[in-house]
Amino acid sequence: MKNQRNYMAVLPIYNSFHPIMKQKTKQVLEINDEVKKIVADMFETMYYTKRGVGLAANQVGKDISVVVIDVHTVKGFENELPITMINPVITEYSDEKEICEEGCLSIPVLYDDVERSLNIKIKYLDITEKEIERTATGFLARAMQHEVDHLNGINFYDRLSPLRKSLAKSKMKRLKKGDYDVDYFMINADGTEHPEN
Ligand code: ZN
């Protein structure tokens, strides 16, 4: 058999109601070829959806603490290169908050307003195992908070105000049942496949 490591793959995205999306992911102990392959596949999967700007490993069914982000299409972040974050930890949150609309590849039925810190400090390992500590602001800080939340089993729906949450209830019910259309492969809450439309 040919060495498959060189081939990237588009992976199905897990529904936010799937159990793997509700639990804390495991720390990466070694950045080996398997982890590097998952990172490459995560970027491939994110670009395939054409609208993802970030993806956490549990969103593609992998129980490890890995995030990929690419916000270069967002105004003001044109020079930001793709980011791989392994075992990321947010070490500081600004008191200054901002409310913005968020979406999520695991919740394709809903875009809604979430309050987040405007600025954060975050540390992680990059793909070469180098320790990075950096600050982020605005949309990038928001994307990082959203993705690190995923690694802790938290989805943006959990962060909506009580009012927004109640308004989103019926949409979320349909998501849970798999009763929605989406143009990329997904895995339903019960582990069955959800077709791509
Ligand atoms: Zn998400």
Side-chain angles (χ1 to χ4, degrees):
M1 205 169 104
K2 256 188 143 186
N3 185 345
Q4 294 196 341
R5 270 204 319 257
N6 300 322
Y7 299 93
M8 290 194 288
V10 172
L11 304 172
I13 308 254
Y14 282 59
N15 185 308
S16 70
F17 285 103
H18 189 281
I20 200 165
M21 297 299 295
K22 303 277 188 187
Q23 68 196 39
K24 209 172 148 63
T25 52
K26 293 194 180 75
Q27 294 286 290
V28 174
L29 303 177
E30 188 199 348
I31 304 175
N32 55 24
D33 287 346
E34 193 190 344
V35 171
K36 287 175 185 168
K37 167 84 167 98
I38 292 170
V39 168
D41 287 347
M42 285 170 69
F43 274 113
E44 181 81 349
T45 302
M46 181 172 77
Y47 294 137
Y48 177 79
T49 68
K50 293 188 191 77
R51 55 188 175 281
V53 290
L55 197 62
N58 47 342
Q59 289 186 275
V60 290
K62 311 292 182 189
D63 181 19
I64 53 172
S65 181
V66 172
V67 160
V68 300
I69 287 178
D70 187 345
V71 293
H72 85 276
T73 55
V74 178
K75 198 172 180 299
F77 294 91
E78 291 85 354
N79 297 323
E80 198 69 53
L81 296 171
I83 299 168
T84 301
M85 303 197 295
I86 293 159
N87 303 337
V89 178
I90 297 172
T91 54
E92 278 180 49
Y93 293 87
S94 67
D95 292 334
E96 195 179 347
K97 314 263 191 205
E98 192 176 53
I99 295 176
C100 268
E101 192 180 79
E102 287 186 23
C104 179
L105 294 174
S106 293
I107 312 179
V109 297
L110 186 69
Y111 289 82
D112 216 327
D113 291 342
V114 184
E115 185 183 79
R116 305 246 187 216
S117 286
L118 184 61
N119 304 297
I120 59 163
K121 192 180 263 186
I122 188 165
K123 63 177 188 188
Y124 56 89
L125 298 175
D126 74 6
I127 197 75
T128 68
E129 229 157 299
K130 192 169 134 200
E131 265 190 45
I132 310 282
E133 183 156 29
R134 64 169 289 177
T135 57
T137 188
F139 188 88
L140 179 57
R142 175 172 295 274
M144 286 172 164
Q145 290 171 82
H146 178 119
E147 300 309 333
V148 170
D149 266 358
H150 276 311
L151 300 180
N152 290 311
I154 298 164
N155 295 292
F156 89 87
Y157 173 79
D158 303 321
R159 297 229 180 253
L160 299 184
S161 67
L163 173 64
R164 307 293 322 163
K165 227 179 221 178
S166 70
L167 290 172
K169 224 169 195 162
S170 66
K171 283 182 185 169
M172 293 302 284
K173 227 177 206 169
R174 284 178 44 217
L175 176 68
K176 193 172 188 176
K177 284 195 298 191
D179 176 20
Y180 63 95
D181 289 338
V182 64
D183 58 359
Y184 47 85
F185 291 116
M186 287 189 73
I187 299 293
N188 287 318
D190 63 3
T192 57
E193 286 180 14
H194 188 279
E196 179 181 25
N197 282 99

